[in-house]
Amino acid sequence: MLEPKPMSRVLIVGHKNIMNDTVETLHNLNVYHIEDYNEEEPGLEIGKPFESAEDISKKLVKIRSLSNYLGVKGDESVSEDADKVWSNLDDRLNELDTKITEKTEEKSELESKLKDIENLKKDLQPLSNIPLDLDLYRGYENISVFTGTVKENMDSLETDISDITNLYEIWKDPDWNAIALFVYKDYAGQVSKILSDYSFKELRIPEKSGVPKDILSKSEEDKQSIEEKIESIDEEIESIKEQYSNFILASDELLSMEAEKAEAPLKMATSENTFVIDGWVPDDEYDTVVQSLDKATNGHAYVSIVEAEESDEHEEHSEEITPPTEYNNSKFAKPLETVMDLYSRPRFKELDPTSLIFIALPLFYGMMLGDVGYALVILAAAFGVKKYVNMESLKPVMNVLIYCQIFSFIFGILYGEAFGISLGTTHAGVPPWSPEPLYELFGATFESHGHGFLSGLIPGFETIYLFEFPFTNEMVSFPFHRPDAVLTLIVLTAVLGIIQINIGYVLGMVNVYRNHGLMDAILEKGSWIIIELGVLLAALGFLEYAPTTILGLAVFIIGFAMLFKGEGVKGAVELPSLLSNVLSYARIAAVGLSSIYIAYIVNEIAFVMLSPDTSILLAILSILVFIFGHALNTVLGVIAPGLQALRLQYVEFFTKFYDGGGKKYNPFGRIRKYTE
């Protein structure tokens, strides 16, 4: 499980007359990772797509355009007969395209009319209270017409015009500050100057007949009718979507597969009569590839393994010959591959730590959050997202979150906490917060157990005191009350860090041994373990637990010399980081304590306001504080422990053994989802 799948480099050579059959077979097998041919060798060049590639690409663009327009989404229940879909593809695709084109053109025309109505409404609304036919606004030889809006007093405007001439007629709409002014053309210049003083803004008069009010009324009726027609067309389009959605998903899949096959020669080396395919196959699939190609080509395809000697160790990082990496994990650990890919996929000769962080990441997360209430809420949310949000990329993330909440629930029981409320008895002088206000609210008697201990949320859930922890002199109990044993918690997290870091060094020894030999592995990685042993022996001697001070210093010096020999000055410079790495695990205690103290504060604020005499308003406020406070802490309970648990894996653990930089295994072909 710590090993990626072993890969064999496989060369396939054949005559061009079997290229199509070879491509078809490899695509159906979906196990052969093709290396792109990008070299220049005499007599060889990059292949050309099959003749069908252009036609398939056009159809694929069309089907995806229609799918995007209709908003078709993936449906796991779809399973169409591939042969049937393919035989009817052209007819159904043209039929669908015709229907959608007709409906979209009809809808576009109606939307254009709707826009015209809106523009007409905008033009005529200021004149809606002026009872003049629109024909009366135009067609005069000796009369000038001014139609528009003014910003100043209209009565004053009329007075100013009357000072110039009485040969005018004015219609006014005070609601819109609109005027329709008819004046003898000889006075048009003077009137125009007066109007400019009143910020006159001309209105466009549509080329229509009738009174504006009647036209607007009719337009409103037309608008309603058009909107109903558009709604009807939308329903018809939705009906088309339901009718063709399965076909769209299935044909998209089929065309995508055919496009991949048609463009496959672009990855190959070809000559005038032959082709060469270079790629990788998992060792356990090699026989299947050989047998399938023999059957499909009647034995005319030459398949051979390129021996490992051709891939020298110093060429390991060459893009052309480096094997791709395919994970080889159990179905339970598989979601953690997403976490690995966020950092970097392992190289083909590296150990794959996915199975290790499958345990460590949820463990650290659970130790930090450690609350039954928050764990159940986040667990329900993760299951909900996984079920109702149709995004494949989210599912592994939700699975990781589910794993984390299982550990959070377990540690919530160990800590005896639910939303920051103690489940069992606790010391009266320190948090966890006591549910005394809850007892009083419901008329129950709050019980003191004497010696400064208070009841927990679950009656009868007594704290069991187990032993006094060495080094800190703090009492270890069940439930383990974190605020009562902070130093103990820090020591435990440091020990946990030492364990994980040394697992990293052991894995690092294996990786170095594979690439450079046993001596390099001992000097580069084993030296760190010897240094730690020296520090431990010296510390035991210094604390007078054992007479090992001198022995510890000697072991430390030996380890340091080994480190200097293996890594040189770089190792010596990095030596202080060992202490900082171990202390970094104290963040498990710090993040966990910050979460529960936020919960205590929310509870204290919320329930201190509650009593049998509390007003309804104060009770509602208390409930809101409780809900929103814990909702915020729930979000923080996902982000903070998640990020810190990831950091411990990426920074403290991976740096001890892991390089990454592997190439993703991307087999030629695809798994069918909508066709069979």
Side-chain angles (χ1 to χ4, degrees), residues 375-389 398-399 401-403 405-406:
L376 291 176
V377 169
I378 300 171
L379 188 66
F383 273 114
V385 171
K386 185 179 174 182
K387 182 176 181 180
Y388 296 109
V389 179
M398 291 301 107
N399 284 331
L401 193 57
I402 288 169
Y403 294 162
Q405 300 321 309
I406 292 172

Side-chain angles (χ1 to χ4, degrees), residues 263-305:
E263 295 171 358
L266 294 171
K267 298 174 178 285
M268 305 177 190
T270 62
S271 65
E272 185 177 351
N273 296 309
T274 61
F275 68 90
V276 180
I277 312 177
D278 187 6
W280 301 90
V281 175
D283 286 356
D284 57 357
E285 297 285 356
Y286 174 72
D287 290 339
T288 303
V289 172
V290 173
Q291 293 168 11
S292 299
L293 286 176
D294 280 346
K295 183 178 179 181
T297 65
N298 294 320
H300 293 153
Y302 176 74
V303 184
S304 64
I305 293 180

Side-chain angles (χ1 to χ4, degrees), residues 438-609:
L438 291 178
Y439 293 155
E440 294 179 349
L441 180 64
F442 295 103
T445 302
F446 177 69
E447 180 181 0
S448 175
H449 290 263
H451 305 291
F453 287 89
L454 303 177
S455 292
L457 191 61
I458 301 176
F461 188 1
E462 301 288 340
T463 297
I464 301 173
Y465 289 90
L466 303 174
F467 59 88
E468 190 174 272
F469 191 77
F471 308 112
T472 66
N473 298 324
E474 294 175 336
M475 187 62 66
V476 176
S477 64
F478 175 74
F480 183 81
H481 301 306
R482 286 184 281 181
D484 290 347
V486 175
L487 293 178
T488 300
L489 190 61
I490 291 174
V491 171
L492 289 174
T493 56
V495 171
L496 192 61
I498 292 172
I499 293 172
Q500 189 181 45
I501 285 172
N502 281 281
I503 291 173
Y505 284 134
V506 171
L507 296 177
M509 288 180 65
V510 176
N511 282 334
V512 176
Y513 168 71
R514 288 180 169 183
N515 291 289
H516 305 288
L518 180 61
M519 184 56 67
D520 285 340
I522 294 174
L523 292 175
E524 290 183 24
K525 299 298 179 181
S527 57
W528 288 95
I529 299 176
I530 294 173
I531 287 172
E532 290 179 80
L533 179 61
V535 171
L536 176 61
L537 292 173
L540 290 174
F542 180 77
L543 296 173
E544 299 182 352
Y545 284 99
T548 55
T549 305
I550 297 176
L551 177 62
L553 290 174
V555 172
F556 175 84
I557 292 171
I558 292 171
F560 183 80
M562 292 172 60
L563 178 64
F564 193 83
K565 174 69 175 176
E567 297 191 12
V569 178
K570 177 185 175 184
V573 171
E574 290 181 353
L575 187 59
S577 68
L578 181 60
L579 177 61
S580 65
N581 288 158
V582 172
L583 294 178
S584 183
Y585 284 80
R587 70 184 65 244
I588 296 175
V591 173
L593 289 170
S594 67
S595 176
I596 59 175
Y597 275 105
I598 291 174
Y600 298 158
I601 293 171
V602 171
N603 293 334
E604 191 69 29
I605 294 173
F607 289 113
V608 77
M609 296 184 285

Side-chain angles (χ1 to χ4, degrees), residues 127 130 132-149 161 167-171 179-189 191-192 195 200-205:
L127 303 175
I130 298 178
L132 293 178
D133 193 297
L134 293 180
D135 288 334
L136 297 177
Y137 288 87
R138 52 183 171 264
Y140 301 104
E141 292 184 5
N142 298 312
I143 297 177
S144 295
V145 181
F146 297 91
T147 309
T149 59
I161 294 173
L167 300 177
Y168 74 92
E169 186 72 29
I170 187 169
W171 299 81
I179 62 169
L181 175 62
F182 301 82
V183 64
Y184 188 60
K185 68 177 182 179
D186 290 347
Y187 301 99
V191 169
S192 178
L195 289 173
F200 176 75
K201 185 177 181 181
E202 188 174 7
L203 293 173
R204 188 181 73 86
I205 304 299

Side-chain angles (χ1 to χ4, degrees), residues 194-229:
I194 293 174
L195 289 173
S196 65
D197 295 336
Y198 286 83
S199 303
F200 176 75
K201 185 177 181 181
E202 188 174 7
L203 293 173
R204 188 181 73 86
I205 304 299
E207 295 293 329
K208 287 184 172 293
S209 298
V211 177
K213 188 174 184 179
D214 296 337
I215 295 174
L216 288 173
S217 178
K218 177 65 168 56
S219 298
E220 199 62 36
E221 295 175 3
D222 293 342
K223 177 184 176 183
Q224 185 175 352
S225 174
I226 291 172
E227 287 176 342
E228 290 174 355
K229 289 179 181 178

